[in-house]
Structures are given as structure tokens and as C-alpha cells.
Amino acid sequence: MKLAYVGLPCQLQALRKLQMFSSEIGQSWMNQVELTIGLFCRENWAYTCLRALVEDDYGIKLSEVDKFDIKKGKMLLYRNGEVLLGIPLHETKPYVRAACEVCLDFSAELADLSVGAVGSPPKYSTVIVRTRRGMELLREAESSGYVEVRHISEVKPGTRLVVKLTNEKREENLKEAEQRAKHGYPARHIQSMGERELTGILEGAKGRSFADLERHVVEAGMCVACGTCVAVAGEHLEMVEERPRLREGASGEGEALEKAYLACPRTSLPTMLMAERLFSEEGEVKSDSLGKYIDVFAVRATEKAKLSRWQDGGAVTALLLQALSSGRIDAAITAMRDRDWKPRAVAARSEEELRQTGGTLYCYVTNMPLLKEVASR
Ligand SMILES: Cc1cc2nc3c(=O)[nH]c(=O)nc-3n(C[C@H](O)[C@H](O)[C@H](O)COP(=O)(O)OP(=O)(O)OC[C@H]3O[C@@H](n4cnc5c(N)ncnc54)[C@H](O)[C@@H]3O)c2cc1C
């Protein structure tokens, strides 16, 4: 099965780490991902927190909202195209996931294609093409007439805003990580980013138990809820309220939990080696604050893509439609919501299913266990 995977920067980190350590973990399902699309992300909110903020603090039922967006320092809630409510972002800060405050990746640097709003004019998505397979897909989608593509230099404001947000996120979150280290909660993923050898990371995971994972990641406010540990050691672990927990009767120790510790993107994250591996066959790529990439474009879906819902330019959905219709992928792991905006991971296998997945959910969607399930069938 050939799969596409859509996720936030931290989810791309989890996937790439899994792919890097797949032989040590002894599992290969993660290698069925042929295409990755990362979404720009400054931060996100747990569903229960978002619901408390909107419904309890502002008295608006989530079922009345048909779109969320973030613009000019506000979280905007829309109904029938009109702004229903604008919540100043500083008011949402107490609800932001603790793990977002120690994440250094804004533009999903380990994806084939990274997509966000910032950088492009309204109704376009900014697409950072990082790999050749990403570029091929974009050009194919353009030739099929699913997307309209303009070089980022032809539009305003352009990449300088993406660079600004990238640098701001990095600087603020490095400071937070320093503070946490002072209080005895080191950000192990940041400490290991420049690691040149994998031996230290493998040694560091030896003999680790679920209690270590809880102490180093969950209790330290580093857990991103990707569900990687649960995907790797599902017979021992389960996700409960966006946190990994031991299943009833599981001992919390043993080889499977050692592998879950190794796989977690927050126990270590050798991003330099991960990027080297990813881009080793890409030839000439640019390398700056946006990470490694080939080029940047402003992209929007055309009427031919027949999208029913989308967030910015509909680029993600249109590119996935192209990948599915050309046989490049059999399904895409992405996200959907119910009428109360409760998110869930989905595997879209048809063009119709894909069209249902468009739009941004500002809540985290645990998707690694679903990826494993679909890839293992
Ligand atoms: C939590 C979050 C924070 C973001 N923050 C920023 C930001 O600060 N600046 C910025 O420029 N852009 C940000 N984005 C990205 C932006 O909101 C759009 O998702 C992006 O521009 C793509 O728009 P589109 O119209 O091309 O995609 P669409 O065609 O609408 O497709 C969006 C795709 O993303 C998937 N998706 C939506 N939500 C999630 C989720 N939570 N987890 C996994 N997949 C999901 C959908 O299922 C769909 O496949 C953020 C996105 C998310 C989810």
C-alpha cells in the first residue's frame, strides 16, 4: 500500500524518526508512506481546551461554527462566511499545548511539501517544495489543471513572513526549553538535534520502561500526542485523553516499551541526521531558515479540483487528489471533524473521501496508530 501522510511539524518529526529507526524497532509499516505533506504550525490546542474556551468562556456552541482561522493576532470563528467571534490569541495561550512551547519547527522541515497560509495572498496556500517527488507532484497537479501555481517572488508578502515566524518560534521556544531544563525537565529532543552518531541515542534507550517515557516526556510537558509509542507498542499502550497510558495488566517494562521509548520524537530527535538522510539524493537544495527546500510557490486549487471545503488555497487537498488519481498513492492519512469539531484521523481512499477532509483543525489529531493499522492491512 502506498500512503500519503498529512501532519504538523511534530508529526513529521515522529514519522521521519520512525523511518530512520525502523530496523532497530523491528517494524516496517512506516516505510509505506510515499508522500508527506506538512502544515505550518506555531501552536495547537487540545480539543477539550478549545471547547472550554469557545463554549464555556464565550458561550458559542462549536456546532454553530463552520470555519476557524488565525489572522492578525486573533483566532477567528466563522459562520456562513461571516466572522462570528474573534478571540485575541493571547487569551488562547493558556490553552495551548505545553509541548508546542518547546517545538522549534514552524514549517514542517522534514516533509516533501510544506503548506501554510502565511507568505501568500488570501485564497492561496504557500507551498515549500522540499523534495523531487514533491516537485513532480506539484507539476503534475498543475498540468492536470487541479492547481494554479505562481512563484512566491511574484506575490506579496512572500517568504520573509514565513522566515520571521520561523525565527520567532525558534527563539521563544529555545528560551522556554532553557527554563524547563533549569527546573529539571530537559528537552531531550532539542539536546539531541545536532547528534552526529546514532549509537548514543540507541544506548540511551536501552532498558527504558514506560515510567521513563512518562517522566521524560509526558510529565515534562513534552508529549505531542502523536501516538508513536502506542503504534509501536500497541499491545502494552493505549491513548487515553491524548496521553499514552499502560493497558490494564501490562507491566510497563520489556523490549516493546524500550522500542516505544526509542521511537518517541521527544526522547531524542537527531534532526540533522534525519535531514541528511532525507535530502541525500535530492542534489542541489537551498538551505536557510525555512530548512532545506527546492523552491517556494503560491498555489491554489482550481474549479477542476471540485473542492467542497478547504482552508486557504485548497492546495493540500488538490495535491492529494492528484496523487490519488494518478496512482501515486492508494490512500491518504489525514484528518476530519464531526459537527462539534471533535477531530479524528482518517484514511481517505477515494476522491470523494478526500474532498471531505479539507480545512484546518486547530486541534491535535493523533494519527500514528491509524497509519500503522492501515499500512499493516
Ligand atoms: C494546528 C494548525 C496550526 C497551523 N498554524 C499555521 C500558522 O501558524 N501559519 C500558517 O500559515 N499556517 C498554519 N497552519 C496551516 C493552515 O491552517 C492550512 O492548513 C494550510 O495553509 C493548508 O491549507 P490548504 O487550503 O492548502 O489545505 P486544505 O486543502 O484545506 O487541506 C488541509 C489538509 O490538512 C489536514 N488537516 C487539517 N487539520 C489537521 C490537523 N490538525 N492535523 C493533521 N492534518 C490536518 C486536512 O485533513 C486536509 O488534508 C496550521 C494548521 C494547523 C492544523
Side-chain angles (χ1 to χ4, degrees), residues 74-94:
K74 283 191 176 165
M75 180 183 276
L76 302 172
L77 283 63
Y78 293 85
R79 185 168 56 201
N80 299 329
E82 301 287 326
V83 176
L84 194 62
L85 176 69
I87 309 175
L89 271 185
H90 66 84
E91 283 184 31
T92 72
K93 288 288 174 191

Side-chain angles (χ1 to χ4, degrees), residues 111-251:
D112 291 300
L113 295 149
S114 302
V115 187
V118 66
S120 288
K123 302 196 187 327
Y124 276 88
S125 310
T126 300
V127 177
I128 304 180
V129 180
R130 300 190 183 278
T131 63
R132 262 181 294 181
R133 74 174 74 178
M135 187 62 98
E136 278 164 24
L137 179 66
L138 181 68
R139 291 304 177 204
E140 279 168 24
E142 190 182 20
S143 306
S144 314
Y146 277 168
V147 293
E148 219 180 87
V149 180
R150 295 171 73 185
H151 193 264
I152 198 73
S153 60
E154 296 166 22
V155 300
K156 288 210 160 58
T159 50
R160 74 184 160 76
L161 242 144
V162 191
V163 170
K164 182 172 175 274
L165 288 172
T166 300
N167 292 339
E168 275 174 14
K169 177 170 179 177
R170 228 171 255 167
E171 280 161 28
E172 279 173 30
N173 290 2
L174 271 172
K175 277 189 203 142
E176 170 68 19
E178 273 171 30
Q179 286 307 313
R180 289 199 196 178
K182 277 187 195 153
H183 290 94
Y185 296 108
R188 289 160 198 265
H189 63 291
I190 296 180
Q191 289 176 337
S192 53
M193 279 180 170
E195 200 69 67
R196 299 240 39 115
E197 297 287 338
L198 294 185
T199 36
I201 288 174
L202 291 168
E203 282 299 315
K206 275 211 178 117
R208 293 295 188 184
S209 63
F210 182 63
D212 291 315
L213 192 66
E214 275 199 307
R215 201 170 45 250
H216 295 164
V217 179
V218 183
E219 286 159 14
M222 310 281 176
C223 178
V224 298
C226 58
T228 300
C229 54
V230 172
V232 167
E235 64 283 25
H236 301 271
L237 301 178
E238 60 185 341
M239 287 304 277
V240 179
E241 292 175 359
E242 303 191 344
R243 289 285 174 265
R245 294 277 179 267
L246 269 184
R247 285 187 189 275
E248 217 180 308
S251 80

Side-chain angles (χ1 to χ4, degrees), residues 252-302:
E253 288 178 1
E255 202 185 336
L257 291 154
E258 197 177 300
K259 287 177 177 170
Y261 185 96
L262 172 65
C264 169
R266 291 297 176 256
T267 53
S268 66
L269 195 69
T271 40
M272 204 154 79
L273 289 175
M274 285 152 79
E276 267 172 27
R277 184 185 137 124
L278 180 62
F279 295 100
S280 64
E281 286 166 20
E282 293 302 326
E284 269 299 281
V285 286
K286 292 174 195 156
S287 182
D288 57 33
S289 299
L290 303 183
K292 293 189 191 298
Y293 62 99
I294 298 172
D295 216 336
V296 188
F297 302 92
V299 178
R300 70 173 171 196
T302 62

